[in-house]
Amino acid sequence: MPTILGRNQYGKAENRVVRITRDGATHHIKDLNVSVALSGDMEDVHYSGSNANVLPTDTTKNTVFAFAKEHGIESAEQFGIHLARHFVTSQEPIHRARIRVEEYAWDRIATSPAHQREHGEHSFVRKGQETRLTQVTYDGERWEVVSGLKDLTVLNSTDSEFHGFVKDRYTTLKETRDRFLATSVAARWRFNWTDDERPMPDWETSYERTKQHLLQAFAETYSLSLQQTMYRMGAQIIEHREEIDEVRFSLPNRHHFQVDLEPFGLDNESADGAVYFAADRPYGLIEATILRDGCEALIPADLTNL
Ligand SMILES: O=c1[nH]c(=O)c2[nH]c(=O)[nH]c2[nH]1
C-alpha cells in the first residue's frame, strides 16, 4: 500500500451546554462549549469503512448533555476529566480522549431590592462585555451623534413566556410558559444635541446610564415576547435620558432548548438542574426603533450600515 493512515481523531465539536441550578428563586448558571476528540483503533473505518469500532459522534454529543444532567457541572476541569475517563474506560477501541472546554462566565444583572424580593435573581450579563460604538457627523453647522453598543450578551433563565401566537399548517413551535430569554444586544441611540450653542451631554455618564437602563429593563421585564422586552428597553432609555430621542435595536433571539434526555432514562423536565442546548443558528432576529413621541426616525434601519 503506498499510503498509510497517520494520526487521527474524531468526535463532536462545540457542544453548547447550559445548566441552570435553582437555589429557590436564585439561579446559578454553567455555560460551556465542549468539544470531544477520540482516538484509538480506528484503522478499519479509514481503510475499509467498517464502523465496528466507531462510537458515533452523535453519541458523544448525547453523553455531554446526559453527564451535565446526571452529574452536574462543578468545574470545566472536573467535567472534562469525567467525560474523558468515561470514553476511554467504557469503549475498548478508544485509547485516548481529548476534551476541550470553553467556559463562558456570566455576571448577575443588579436589579432593585423590591424586584429581587419578588422575583429572585435569574438575570445575567456575559462577562467580557460589549463593544462601545459611536458615529459623529458634522456638516459645518449641525452635529449628529449616534452611539451604541454591540455584543452585550444577556440572559434571563426564567420570567419569559411565549404563547398565543399565530399557528398555520407549518407551525410546530410549542407554547411555553417558562423559557430562557437570551440575546446579544446591538443598539444605537441618537442624541438630540445638534448645535454648538447648546451644552454637550456628558458622554461618559450618558453611556453608562443608558446601558444600565437597558440592562435593568431586560432583567425586570416579565417577558411575553422578545419584542415586548425590547420595547421596554428602548422606552426606559427614552423615559430616563433626556439627551436621547431615538433608540434602535437589533436583537437575535438566542434560543435555548431543554434537551430530551428521556432516551437515557433521565428526567430533564423539571426546571431545577435542567440542561439546555444553546443553539447558535438559525435565530429569530427582532428589530425596532423606539422614539420619543414627535421625533423623527433617523437611525438607518439596517444597523450594519452604521
Ligand atoms: O419572543 C419571541 N418572539 C417571536 O416573534 C418568536 N417567534 C418564535 O418562534 N419564537 C419567538 N419568541
Side-chain angles (χ1 to χ4, degrees):
M1 226 187 336
T3 60
I4 57 159
L5 176 69
R7 288 170 62 139
N8 63 90
Q9 57 188 0
Y10 80 105
K12 198 70 103 193
E14 305 212 42
N15 297 286
R16 291 284 290 101
V17 57
V18 178
R19 191 176 201 268
I20 290 288
T21 316
R22 294 187 176 206
D23 178 7
T26 299
H27 294 192
H28 303 276
I29 188 169
K30 276 288 186 187
D31 183 357
L32 306 183
N33 190 14
V34 181
S35 295
V36 177
L38 307 176
S39 40
D41 302 331
M42 296 296 156
E43 289 75 15
D44 284 355
V45 61
H46 293 91
Y47 288 139
S48 72
S50 163
N51 291 322
N53 284 352
V54 176
L55 181 74
T57 65
D58 189 65
T59 306
T60 68
K61 173 200 74 185
N62 290 342
T63 310
V64 169
F65 286 99
F67 270 38
K69 176 70 197 172
E70 217 172 353
H71 309 291
I73 301 170
E74 219 176 274
S75 64
E77 289 80 4
Q78 163 272 330
F79 195 60
I81 288 166
H82 202 170
L83 281 166
R85 179 179 289 127
H86 165 79
F87 290 121
V88 172
T89 57
S90 68
Q91 297 297 324
E92 228 239 348
I94 293 171
H95 304 317
R96 184 171 174 274
R98 188 203 66 201
I99 313 293
R100 285 190 173 155
V101 183
E102 289 177 4
E103 176 165 0
Y104 307 121
W106 296 81
D107 281 326
R108 290 190 189 284
I109 300 176
T111 50
S112 69
H115 187 271
Q116 256 177 53
R117 270 195 303 281
E118 221 174 294
H119 298 271
E121 293 187 281
H122 52 256
S123 299
F124 303 90
V125 55
R126 256 271 286 267
K127 275 192 186 161
Q129 285 181 12
E130 81 279 4
T131 304
R132 179 172 163 179
L133 306 161
T134 195
Q135 169 179 285
V136 176
T137 314
Y138 182 53
D139 63 3
E141 274 180 38
R142 292 174 68 77
W143 294 93
E144 187 196 69
V145 181
V146 177
S147 295
L149 53 81
K150 63 175 181 178
D151 302 329
L152 181 70
T153 305
V154 288
L155 182 157
N156 284 326
S157 53
T158 189
D159 283 6
S160 166
E161 310 186 2
F162 190 64
H163 47 79
F165 43 81
V166 173
K167 289 150 197 104
D168 71 2
R169 59 183 290 222
Y170 302 112
T171 305
T172 56
L173 186 72
K174 294 211 166 43
E175 305 217 325
T176 173
R177 306 274 161 174
D178 190 4
R179 66 170 185 174
F180 270 43
L181 189 67
T183 186
S184 178
V185 180
R188 304 289 188 279
W189 46 86
R190 182 173 54 77
F191 292 91
N192 49 32
W193 177 80
T194 54
D195 66 87
D196 285 311
E197 302 300 302
R198 282 179 50 214
M200 275 186 209
D202 175 339
W203 306 112
E204 297 296 285
T205 308
S206 178
Y207 181 82
E208 288 310 324
R209 299 277 159 81
T210 301
K211 180 180 149 191
Q212 214 44 54
H213 284 301
L214 179 164
L215 285 176
Q216 199 161 0
F218 177 82
E220 297 193 357
T221 302
Y222 188 101
S223 180
L224 299 176
S225 66
L226 182 52
Q227 287 90 329
Q228 180 208 17
T229 295
M230 172 178 64
Y231 185 79
R232 284 306 318 153
M233 288 157 70
Q236 188 152 326
I237 293 170
I238 300 288
E239 284 159 19
H240 289 89
R241 302 306 306 174
E242 58 178 16
E243 72 277 20
I244 296 171
D245 277 354
E246 177 185 0
V247 185
R248 184 160 176 86
F249 288 109
S250 181
L251 302 183
N253 195 351
R254 298 270 177 229
H255 305 294
H256 287 66
F257 301 110
Q258 213 152 330
V259 187
D260 178 12
L261 298 174
E262 194 66 49
F264 322 123
L266 297 172
D267 175 14
N268 197 34
E269 288 288 310
S270 107
D272 187 25
V275 171
Y276 298 80
F277 161 56
D280 108 353
R281 62 189 77 169
Y283 49 86
L285 188 61
I286 311 295
E287 304 182 293
T289 298
I290 296 107
L291 287 166
R292 189 175 299 286
D293 199 11
C295 291
E296 201 189 335
L298 295 173
I299 302 175
D302 183 352
L303 274 183
T304 55
N305 282 347
L306 202 144

